[in-house]
């Protein structure tokens, strides 16, 4: 049976989010039914509802940093039971058979992963709806465990901001003594500082916001560079093994390239579309430097990140909001006024 529940939806790229009753798909034998307690607010939610990337299907219910409690499980579910605290991130399914899925890199599934919202369910072809809602139904293969040591409200952003920054840190083998920089101190950026520091790296933040300097140090930055000040930029020449660029809009990458060490990599995780202005190639060639991209992380890697956060006591710095305040939160996000992730208390949906 489908279940009729309440969520918050966008009906067009220009409308505010408003309450909407909708049907969740029928639970199958391998599914976990989750009552959503908290949901983080990612800049991707805003890009999606504003249709920045094209392909938005309305009504669109965003939310992919989901923490909830299992209310029931299907007959074939073995790893979860009612009462467990669990998480769901950006994906709810993938083909499960291709070479990438076999490696636990479901985000790079050859057939395309099924995303938590604005995707089509592989089996019943219904549209997926995200975590700004009362409940979600997800195959147990895409549900992760939340370590009991963590405050579940503040753990919600680990499901996207955490894994999206953890995956490149691990892929580029960041360890004790590595030099890592992060561009942009928002949701992803603040998790990148915390995770890189906990891995033992020397960590720098590039920001446009002078006011964020003290906060950045508290969050793990050893050095803070105002990216709009060329004299400050010159002090980190050839320094970084890895730069994680979290900026959500097209911006000039050229000023950051001199700060990469020989063989260094700048990895883009913010969605930019085409680079503007163009990227000059000579500084890359003259230092065997690389520009890369990365999207979220696989399910095994997400559990690895959560367990690491459990051991190290790492969660996001969150500002709790009621669902009724979501449109104001987006306005603040557009002004880079996020400290450092909004999390919706889903109990407010019943208010
Ligand atoms: N690849 C993936 O898998 C993945 C996953 C999640 C999110 N994303 C994308 O990552 C991006 C960041 O997401 P988020 O949730 O961290 O966003 P956010 O909380 O809004 O933070 C972005 C930060 O970037 C800086 N910034 C904003 N506009 C800028 C501009 N025009 N030029 C330079 N810097 C700017 C600001 O930091 P300062 O004030 O410090 O400059 C801002 O706080 C989004 O595009 C999102 O869609 C990608
Ligand atoms: Zn996200
Ligand atoms: Zn696959």
């Amino acid at each position: 049976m489908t279940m009729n529940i309440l969520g918050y939806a966008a009906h067009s790229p220009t409308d505010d989010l408003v309450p909407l009753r909708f049907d969740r798909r029928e639970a199958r034998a391998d599914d976990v039914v989750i009552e959503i307690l908290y949901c983080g607010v990612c800049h991707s939610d805003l890009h999606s509802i504003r249709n920045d990337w094209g392909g938005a299907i309305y009504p669109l219910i965003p939310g992919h940093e989901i923490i909830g409690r299992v209310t029931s499980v299907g007959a074939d579910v073995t790893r979860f039971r009612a009462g467990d605290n669990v998480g769901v991130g950006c994906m709810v399914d993938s083909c499960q058979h291709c070479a990438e899925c076999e490696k636990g890199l479901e985000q790079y599934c050859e057939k395309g992963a099924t995303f938590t919202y604005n995707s089509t369910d592989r089996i019943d072809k219904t549209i997926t709806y995200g975590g700004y809602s009362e409940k979600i139904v997800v195959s147990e293969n895409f549900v992760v465990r939340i370590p009991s040591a963590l405050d579940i409200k503040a753990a919600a952003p680990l499901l996207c901001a955490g894994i999206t920054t953890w995956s490149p840190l691990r892929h580029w083998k960041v360890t004790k003594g590595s030099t890592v920089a992060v561009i942009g101190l928002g949701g992803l950026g603040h998790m990148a500082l915390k995770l890189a520091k906990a891995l033992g790296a020397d960590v720098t933040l590039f920001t446009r916001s002078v006011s964020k300097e003290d906060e950045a140090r508290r969050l793990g930055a050893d050095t803070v560079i105002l990216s709009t000040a060329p004299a400050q930029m010159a002090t980190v020449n050839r320094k970084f093994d890895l730069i994680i660029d979290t900026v959500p809009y097209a911006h000039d990458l050229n000023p950051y390239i001199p700060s990469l060490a020989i063989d260094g990599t700048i990895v883009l995780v913010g969605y930019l579309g085409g680079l503007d202005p163009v990227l000059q190639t000579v500084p890359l060639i003259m230092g065997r430097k690389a520009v890369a991209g990365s999207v979220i992380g696989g399910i095994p890697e997400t559990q690895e990140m959560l367990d690491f956060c459990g051991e190290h006591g790492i969660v996001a710095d969150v500002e709790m909001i009621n669902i009724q305040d979501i449109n104001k939160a987006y306005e603040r996000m557009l002004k880079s006024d996020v400290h450092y992730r909004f999390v919706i208390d889903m109990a407010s949906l019943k208010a």
Side-chain angles (χ1 to χ4, degrees), residues 94-101 106 108-112 122:
S94 71
C95 88
Q96 308 266 303
H97 299 296
C98 72
E100 304 314 325
C101 285
E106 299 89 349
Y108 302 119
C109 174
E110 286 169 15
K111 306 232 164 84
R122 301 182 111 76

Side-chain angles (χ1 to χ4, degrees), residues 41-47 53 64-65 90 160-161 164 183-190 205-209 212 227 245-251 256 268-272 293-297 332-338 340-341:
V41 179
C42 179
H43 207 111
S44 300
D45 299 344
L46 185 54
H47 287 306
W53 304 332
H64 58 205
E65 293 184 337
C90 303
C160 176
T164 301
I183 311 180
L185 187 55
L188 268 56
H190 98 291
L205 174 73
F206 289 112
T207 178
R208 304 160 307 162
S209 307
K212 292 184 184 172
S227 54
D245 184 338
T246 77
V247 174
Y249 297 98
H251 61 286
Y256 298 100
L268 306 176
V269 295
Y271 183 88
L272 309 177
S294 182
V295 74
I296 47 174
R332 283 182 50 195
M333 186 177 254
L334 283 170
K335 292 186 211 140
S336 302
D337 178 19
V338 180
Y340 284 88
R341 197 59 141 186

Side-chain angles (χ1 to χ4, degrees), residues 82-97:
D84 287 352
N85 284 340
V86 293
V88 177
C90 303
M91 295 180 287
V92 289
D93 206 359
S94 71
C95 88
Q96 308 266 303
H97 299 296

